[in-house]
Amino acid sequence: MDALVEAFREIVGRRHVLTGARATRRYRKGYRYGDGPVLAVVRPGRPVEQWRVLQRCADAGVIVISQAANTGLTGGSTPDGDSYDRPVVIINTLRMRDITVIADGRQVVCQAGATLEQLERRLKPLGREPHSVIGSSCIGASVAGGVCNNSGGSLVRRGPAYTELALFAQIDATGRLVLVNHLGIELGTEPEEILGRLERGDLGTIRADQNRVASDREYHTHVRDVDDDTPARFNDDPRRHYEASGSAGHLAVFALRLDTFAADDGPVTFYIGTNDPAELESIRRHLLAHFDHLPIAGEYIHATAYDLSRDYGKDLFWFLNRFGTGNIPKAFAAKSWFDGLTEAIGLGSFVSDHILQWFSRRLPPHLPERMNRFRRDYAHHFVLKTTAEGAAEARAFLESRFPSETGAFFECSETEAHAAFLHRFAIGGAVVRYRAVHARTVEGIVALDIALPRNTRDWFETLPAEIEADLEAKMYCGHFLCHVFHQEYLVRRGVDCEAIKARLLIELDRRGARYPAEHNFGHSYRAGEQTLDFYRSIDPTNSFNPGIGHATKRAGWEDHACCENGR
């Protein structure tokens, strides 16, 4: 394997091939889950380099994990332990970030490392937006990562990230690396010719392929069917598995062609509070079934999530507010480097979190007073963002419903609207921070990403007392109009997290939930057989990111049906 590592160095340069535990830590250790040894981390700077690295990997028969920002929540872009039957190579794509705008801004071609934040900045002068504009973009997530994981995002009208127009490599059943150009763009015939033209932006003839779409163009009507007994979106849904889309790393993506969306001018945000979950569900059903203008977003925050984000996400809120999303990846990289240093000298990996939390407590209050007042009065919070055209409709409806015996609303100023959404999207990091600074009382986090059927009325979870007794805290937030919820449970010290997770999943099965909803299976969830069939069809040798969805990690999907725990 030394010869393989040396070949990588000849292709991409010595400084872009990392080996050893310290040097590779940032790439092999997941944002929340996942860790394991790797032969090397390779960071190609051009698509042709990526192809040559993949050729060497295919020839050597090693495992390839393609990775961009490593912001996944289920461990799907890092190794999972040391139970692989072949050496693991991580190919990090973040140096390949070119974006080409086509079709007068209505579409883009993004290389594998392009980020949502970068794409948002590129499209803003054109009055256009990418699939997601806040949430994953806050932590530097890549465009390709969203598509490969069927990520949903908060924007109600756009659905899961999806395209049928992609340029990717796969290893066929004979072990041969094959480049597939389904971009709908004439780039030549030979792999290095195709990839060379891609990296130069020499796109040639661009076809408007009527048989392939570059976004989920049905979702805005699909989500309105509030009486359907299936969820609006979830990762096991075969309707959105197509080549790169939903591939979960079982292909090596070079570029994606995606639709963009007209930016909404003058959006209006309403902040709703209530102590009755049924009141929110009634509002949800009316908005989706009867409004002429489908809202832009509808985010749910429970009181406990509000408190957690306020107290443990304050520094992230301030950082985003002051420096913007573009600097978050650098901040995460610096934190990972520091955590690796403190681990190496025996101080553990939570020192930085204690320092940041100490600093955070000394920052001034950051949330608007009206939001804090609603937190004191109401347990359930709903942040509703509408188009300028839909604002009058929403305002009239809310004024007809509130104030009620259990709830009220207010129309946000621009500052309040910005704070509300930033507060909502700081929740995930706040949960991680809480665990880090309360390691003596918290065993770990059980993070669930669920989708409830569209016709569910009793949506708010009530847990059995025996599960509650094993939890120190719990957090609920989500994309309420889509009935997609992020539910996180901080498990008391000494309690088996996997046992808690199994009990929670039984409760969710009873309610007809599907999981995961939008973060993909990673190494946290068991994929259904239909999804595993899809993975096997695009990666017959199981060379790319094996083990996803608790599948076997063995070459050729060996013993898939009988492996204990799918491994």
Side-chain angles (χ1 to χ4, degrees):
M1 289 298 150
D2 289 345
L4 181 60
V5 172
E6 192 58 38
F8 294 154
R9 290 172 177 148
E10 291 176 3
I11 295 168
V12 304
R14 185 167 294 273
R15 68 187 292 253
H16 296 301
V17 179
L18 309 176
T19 59
R22 276 288 310 280
T24 60
R25 183 188 186 279
R26 173 187 167 193
Y27 304 91
R28 61 175 173 77
K29 189 174 179 66
Y31 175 61
R32 285 207 183 176
Y33 299 109
D35 194 2
V38 297
L39 175 67
V41 174
V42 187
R43 304 184 299 183
R46 301 183 298 125
V48 168
E49 291 180 353
Q50 183 185 358
W51 171 255
R52 292 172 181 169
V53 169
L54 286 168
Q55 282 184 313
R56 301 301 188 279
C57 290
D59 291 344
V62 300
I63 287 168
V64 173
I65 298 178
S66 295
Q67 175 197 90
N70 190 16
T71 58
L73 301 183
T74 58
S77 57
T78 59
D80 176 47
D82 58 1
S83 57
Y84 296 92
D85 61 342
R86 294 150 288 168
V88 175
V89 173
I90 293 176
I91 298 180
N92 185 276
T93 62
L94 279 183
R95 294 180 62 218
M96 298 174 291
R97 299 161 59 93
D98 284 358
I99 295 171
T100 303
V101 177
I102 62 175
D104 298 321
R106 296 188 305 277
Q107 289 189 329
V108 290
V109 176
C110 297
Q111 288 187 12
T115 67
L116 283 166
E117 185 272 339
Q118 177 192 357
L119 179 56
E120 183 181 355
R121 282 190 287 107
R122 182 68 181 274
L123 292 174
K124 191 172 183 178
L126 305 177
R128 309 288 294 183
E129 291 179 342
H131 169 266
S132 297
V133 295
I134 192 169
S136 295
S137 57
C138 284
I139 54 174
S142 69
V143 176
V147 170
C148 292
N149 291 307
N150 287 138
S151 299
S154 64
L155 302 180
V156 180
R157 296 170 293 176
R158 299 180 190 176
Y162 182 77
T163 185
E164 297 171 358
L165 300 166
L167 174 62
F168 58 88
Q170 62 186 150
I171 295 177
D172 66 18
T174 69
R176 184 172 64 100
L177 185 70
V178 179
L179 186 70
V180 179
N181 179 13
H182 285 165
L183 283 175
I185 300 173
E186 302 287 348
L187 293 171
T189 56
E190 296 301 314
E192 293 208 5
E193 176 191 9
I194 292 169
L195 297 171
R197 290 185 62 176
L198 172 71
E199 65 188 44
R200 294 192 302 272
D202 179 13
L203 297 189
T205 302
I206 300 173
R207 298 192 303 272
D209 194 333
Q210 300 302 314
N211 297 316
R212 293 174 180 257
V213 298
S215 63
D216 186 344
R217 298 179 182 178
E218 303 168 353
Y219 189 77
H220 66 285
T221 56
H222 179 76
V223 73
R224 282 184 177 269
D225 189 354
V226 295
D227 292 315
D228 194 280
D229 62 0
T230 63
R233 52 183 166 93
F234 58 102
N235 284 106
D236 228 1
D237 186 354
R239 64 188 284 273
R240 287 298 171 252
H241 291 164
Y242 190 92
E243 296 180 342
S245 294
S247 61
H250 279 287
L251 297 171
V253 172
F254 289 88
L256 298 170
R257 179 174 167 185
L258 295 152
D259 288 335
T260 68
F261 304 86
D264 292 292
D265 292 327
V268 178
T269 299
F270 302 92
Y271 199 100
I272 300 158
T274 181
N275 288 315
D276 181 7
E279 189 165 41
L280 281 192
E281 181 58 27
S282 174
I283 291 170
R284 170 187 168 272
R285 291 179 65 85
H286 185 89
L287 293 181
L288 292 175
H290 301 296
F291 268 29
D292 291 331
H293 302 279
L294 193 63
I296 297 170
E299 291 298 302
Y300 170 73
I301 308 172
H302 186 257
T304 54
Y306 188 105
D307 294 348
L308 205 67
S309 186
R310 180 194 61 211
D311 298 338
Y312 294 90
K314 184 194 288 189
D315 54 321
L316 178 58
F317 182 105
W318 276 105
F319 188 95
L320 288 168
N321 214 28
R322 181 73 179 270
F323 300 109
T325 59
N327 289 297
I328 283 290
K330 296 177 184 176
F332 279 161
K335 183 180 183 301
S336 180
W337 177 88
F338 185 83
D339 290 344
L341 177 64
T342 58
E343 276 183 342
I345 62 178
L347 297 177
S349 59
F350 293 152
V351 175
S352 64
D353 290 284
H354 283 277
I355 293 171
L356 289 168
Q357 189 60 24
W358 179 90
F359 174 75
S360 177
R361 292 192 183 103
R362 282 146 184 83
L363 291 170
H366 61 295
L367 297 178
E369 176 52 32
R370 284 204 291 183
M371 283 175 54
N372 286 330
R373 188 167 68 246
F374 265 49
R375 164 60 192 98
R376 292 190 291 269
D377 292 342
Y378 305 112
H380 304 281
H381 298 230
F382 180 41
V383 187
L384 177 67
K385 185 176 183 180
T386 72
T387 62
E389 296 82 3
E393 181 180 34
R395 187 182 296 112
F397 171 68
L398 293 174
E399 287 175 346
S400 73
R401 298 288 300 264
F402 296 111
S404 67
E405 291 183 2
T406 53
F409 87 99
F410 64 85
E411 188 169 331
C412 295
S413 67
E414 186 174 336
T415 299
E416 289 170 329
H418 178 70
F421 281 99
L422 211 52
H423 183 57
R424 155 66 183 91
F425 290 108
I427 290 172
V431 175
V432 176
R433 173 68 55 76
Y434 185 97
R435 177 190 60 178
V437 301
H438 294 280
R440 293 181 180 179
T441 60
V442 176
E443 183 69 27
I445 301 171
V446 174
L448 300 180
D449 164 33
I450 73 160
L452 294 176
R454 283 167 280 174
N455 64 354
T456 301
R457 292 178 183 267
D458 185 15
W459 60 272
F460 187 69
E461 180 176 74
T462 302
L463 291 175
E466 60 270 20
I467 297 180
E468 288 276 11
D470 288 335
L471 304 178
E472 175 158 316
K474 56 188 180 181
M475 182 283 299
Y476 300 108
C477 65
H479 314 308
F480 187 64
L481 295 179
C482 303
H483 258 187
V484 167
F485 296 94
H486 305 299
Q487 304 184 172
E488 309 210 30
Y489 310 85
L490 292 147
V491 180
R492 293 190 188 280
R493 194 72 180 172
V495 176
D496 185 340
C497 291
E498 287 301 312
I500 288 290
K501 181 178 177 179
R503 290 153 69 188
L504 289 167
L505 293 182
I506 289 172
E507 293 297 313
L508 290 171
D509 290 341
R510 181 181 57 79
R511 298 171 63 201
R514 300 297 297 267
Y515 46 83
E518 62 176 4
H519 289 157
N520 216 296
F521 303 93
H523 297 285
S524 297
Y525 298 94
R526 188 177 299 279
E529 201 58 37
Q530 194 168 18
T531 295
L532 293 177
D533 284 344
F534 170 60
Y535 294 163
R536 287 190 285 265
S537 72
I538 60 176
D539 183 17
T541 63
N542 205 20
S543 296
F544 289 110
N545 211 9
I548 293 300
H550 287 201
T552 179
K553 296 175 180 177
R554 297 185 179 279
W557 300 88
E558 179 188 340
D559 296 330
H560 167 69
C562 63
C563 282
E564 184 179 358
N565 294 324
R567 292 183 177 156

